[in-house]
Amino acid sequence: MGADSIADDWGARNRNRPWMSSPGQNGGQQHMAYNWLSKKVNSRADAVGLTPYAFAKVCGGCHPGGSIAEKDRDGKRYDVRQKAEPRLAASLDGDYHKADWVRSGVLEADCMICHMPKYDIKGRADQLGKLNYRWAATVGAGLATVEGSVAERQTPKLTYKPGAVKDGAVQVVPTRSSDENCLLCHGEAEVKKRGHVWGGRNEDPHSKIRCTACHRTSADHEITKGRSNGVFVRDDLDDPKLSCEGCHNARRMGAPKPVHKSIPASHLNAMACVVCHVRDANVAAVHTVDTTTGKSIGVFTNPAARKYGESMAWQPALFRLKNGKISIGNALLPSWWGSRVGNVIHPLTFAETGRAYETVKDHIKDDNGDGKPEANTEAEIMAMLDAIGRTMAGGRFAKLRPAYVKGHEVWEMRDGSLVHGPHPQASPLRWTFSHNVSGASRSLGAGGCSDCHGKPGGVFGTRVTVDPYGPDNKPATAPVWRYLKLKSPDPYPMQ
Ligand code: HEC
Ligand code: HEC
Ligand code: HEC
Ligand code: HEC
Ligand code: HEC
Ligand code: HEC
Ligand code: HEC
């Protein structure tokens, strides 16, 4: 989980992102959770960020405990240390700021999430919400009921279920992990990140292969991961052999080696396998997380969707990866507010954005009728930038330069007028698809070249969303060829 690389200057040293202090868990994920792990040493309360104490509560439901949810950055258990030094809670020490580890307990690595059938992940999250960290694993494993909540200053009371304890020992029989265990956490995350590209809601010739047959692991628990785009936790552990080519070219596990008689060879170099082989995105994901109100509001990949995970088809985004290959997946567009320091836009916290929004919320309207306000007109963007200037004056930025990162561009005031232009931090976070492969007969190209070339429904006839809401209240789109930087609207028009 990247915990052993955490350091206050990690982001400054590694990614030119000085607010980040780790490669994983809290910070890698841009455009979505402007909740970054607090620094150990802080000089102001409003710059503390997401403390491990708050992380355990909000994120611990899926980030399964251990590491920063158990021990502080000196390697000491939080509850033991805080018992000896109760005044830490009032300090600006990022590990203890406003925390009460003594009463909540710590969140140890919870083995049973993966090693028993029917683990109660909701029961666990419910305990975390009450700050009952010490009790969460017991409830998750279904061994006991717990009444009371540390958050409400109560002392939780634990009652074991009949048969849960025998001869002084808790009765649990660990099993091997099944796909259901993995999906307790990966199922839902997919909804936001990529659109449920695994988990049996779409067809897949691999669906009889278990997660752990491809993502192998042993007692070291370094679960094999590939290099799929958009995830950055411990990239040094990525295994290039976990890939379509890694199995199909080497005939691993009996994988058929494709011949591709009907596909021009140039295309196999130009495109990732999933462009043709993943035809289904049937679970509504989120293509923008808008933080303007100080809360995270999702804009769905299918505009008709009303909640994450609804069964609803959508068009995967096409994009070019850093290695030049064309690929597909979910492209998360930015919509967040910050302050420019040199060339880098430092994000505001949800709380900071929310404070500014409160002062101008009557001017920021729901123009596109989706029930959610958005800053899309020039007047709305200017009102919000101005509000940030007022509410954060004299705050944590030595020189405050409010900026809005939205849809491939950064918007800011220069010499009294609103200007906008491209910026590296405004490019979408591109989560590639790697599961939900369609059978060969449904792949793009199986219906001939015209699956992509020469007709309106083909790949070259579609458009890519580049901005969740333009000034006309509609999403701004670009034709595929221009977005992919091809020379012509269709390289093989087939007339
Ligand atoms: C308790 C929730 C949970 C369960 C259960 C779980 N995971 Fe994860 N998994 C995570 C989280 C959270 C991360 C990201 C780690 C981080 O951010 O530090 C992750 C990371 C991964 C990654 C690497 C992703 C990357 O960023 O490269 C793979 C692969 C993976 N898990 C596979 C599995 C498999 C296979 C199983 C079942 C044996 C499983 N996971 C069970 C929560 C879970
Ligand atoms: C994110 C899921 C996950 C969590 C959490 C987890 N494990 Fe595992 N563990 C696995 C997987 C996957 C394997 C590989 C064997 C399998 O497929 O079950 C494994 C293997 C093992 C093995 C080796 C089993 C064998 O026969 O080779 C042991 C022992 C083990 N885990 C103990 C633990 C303990 C103790 C904890 C808690 C500290 C824990 N595990 C937490 C997923 C997990
Ligand atoms: C047929 C093999 C296969 C199966 C089965 C499989 N995966 Fe994957 N998984 C992959 C490949 C290949 C990638 C992409 C690797 C890349 O693009 O570099 C991937 C990517 C991922 C990632 C993104 C991080 C990474 O490793 O790049 C996660 C997380 C993940 N899989 C979890 C799961 C879970 C959970 C299951 C079971 C529900 C599962 N996978 C089943 C092959 C598989
Ligand atoms: C519903 C389960 C769930 C919850 C709740 C959750 N996460 Fe995650 N998170 C995951 C899974 C699963 C992964 C890894 C899967 C993948 O790579 O697709 C992950 C990965 C991440 C990553 C790694 C991204 C990268 O750079 O590779 C970060 C950062 C992260 N989560 C932050 C958070 C924060 C902060 C919270 C709380 C505000 C949170 N998560 C709550 C399931 C969850
Ligand atoms: C761990 C090895 C492994 C990985 C990784 C893997 N495959 Fe497969 N794949 C297989 C095996 C084995 C089969 C045959 C399954 C069967 O026939 O039951 C298969 C079947 C297929 C088929 C069906 C062929 C047909 O006859 O219809 C397609 C298409 C396919 N894979 C594409 C992909 C793509 C695309 C990727 C990457 C996203 C991928 N595979 C990753 C092992 C793998
Ligand atoms: C431009 C589209 C396209 C790309 C890119 C592509 N495929 Fe295919 N693939 C197809 C089509 C169409 C078929 C079925 C007809 C054929 O063989 O030409 C197919 C067939 C297959 C089959 C079934 C082979 C068999 O003999 O049953 C497998 C497996 C497969 N592809 C894997 C891959 C892998 C792995 C990659 C990436 C290295 C990839 N494909 C890239 C379009 C594509
Ligand atoms: C999956 C969609 C897809 C299918 C199917 C497809 N193409 Fe293409 N084709 C593309 C893309 C994307 C490019 C642009 C690649 C680039 O420039 O990197 C392209 C480029 C071309 C080009 C110009 C550059 C080159 O690679 O030679 C020709 C000619 C072409 N395709 C012919 C064909 C023919 C003939 C077929 C059917 C046998 C076909 N294509 C099937 C997507 C497709």
Side-chain angles (χ1 to χ4, degrees), residues 244-245 248 256 258 260-263 268 272-273 276-277 440 443-446:
C244 315
E245 294 89 338
H248 282 278
H260 288 131
K261 267 187 275 177
S262 60
I263 305 293
L268 296 168
C273 318
C276 300
H277 284 293
S443 309
L444 276 181

Side-chain angles (χ1 to χ4, degrees), residues 113-356:
I113 298 184
C114 293
H115 286 295
M116 73 182 284
K118 307 243 177 305
Y119 181 93
D120 179 8
I121 197 92
K122 291 218 164 62
R124 172 190 164 85
D126 180 48
Q127 293 302 311
L128 299 180
K130 295 174 175 165
L131 302 176
N132 296 355
Y133 302 161
R134 186 181 286 130
W135 293 267
T138 312
V139 172
L143 293 167
T145 53
V146 169
E147 271 174 60
S149 151
V150 168
E152 286 170 32
R153 314 286 311 161
Q154 295 154 340
T155 303
K157 187 169 159 300
L158 181 137
T159 316
Y160 281 106
K161 292 185 184 161
V165 184
K166 221 167 103 194
D167 303 331
V170 153
Q171 303 295 303
V172 282
V173 183
T175 56
R176 284 185 177 266
S177 304
S178 70
D179 290 5
E180 283 71 47
N181 292 104
C182 311
L183 289 168
L184 287 175
C185 304
H186 287 276
E188 193 191 320
E190 266 307 88
V191 166
K192 287 187 195 160
K193 292 184 180 171
R194 297 175 195 135
H196 222 86
V197 290
W198 56 70
R201 286 219 246 172
N202 295 307
E203 64 155 324
D204 188 328
H206 308 103
S207 59
K208 299 224 168 58
I209 307 177
R210 295 170 50 211
C211 309
T212 48
C214 293
H215 297 274
R216 274 169 308 162
T217 186
S218 55
D220 70 1
H221 289 94
E222 298 284 21
I223 297 180
T224 308
K225 60 203 187 81
R227 295 196 220 180
S228 62
N229 202 55
V231 285
F232 311 102
V233 177
R234 293 298 308 271
D235 284 340
D236 54 315
L237 295 175
D238 290 356
D239 179 356
K241 286 202 292 279
L242 180 68
S243 63
C244 315
E245 294 89 338
C247 282
H248 282 278
N249 289 350
R251 297 183 196 273
R252 242 182 81 202
M253 295 167 68
K257 192 167 177 172
V259 190
H260 288 131
K261 267 187 275 177
S262 60
I263 305 293
S266 64
H267 289 47
L268 296 168
N269 294 326
M271 278 174 265
C273 318
V274 291
V275 173
C276 300
H277 284 293
V278 181
R279 297 301 309 282
D280 299 297
N282 284 333
V283 177
V286 169
H287 76 59
T288 302
V289 174
D290 190 335
T291 62
T292 301
T293 57
K295 298 194 173 70
S296 63
I297 292 181
V299 183
F300 301 107
T301 47
N302 181 326
R306 284 289 158 261
K307 60 176 172 42
Y308 302 137
E310 210 171 313
S311 290
M312 206 167 260
W314 53 281
Q315 171 109 44
L318 271 162
F319 41 74
R320 222 180 252 285
L321 299 174
K322 283 210 185 76
N323 66 10
K325 279 208 176 187
I326 296 167
S327 192
I328 55 161
N330 188 12
L332 193 84
L333 294 164
S335 177
W336 52 268
W337 303 82
S339 178
R340 183 189 275 276
V341 180
N343 274 332
V344 179
I345 315 292
H346 288 229
L348 305 189
T349 61
F350 283 118
E352 287 166 339
T353 307
R355 271 196 296 276

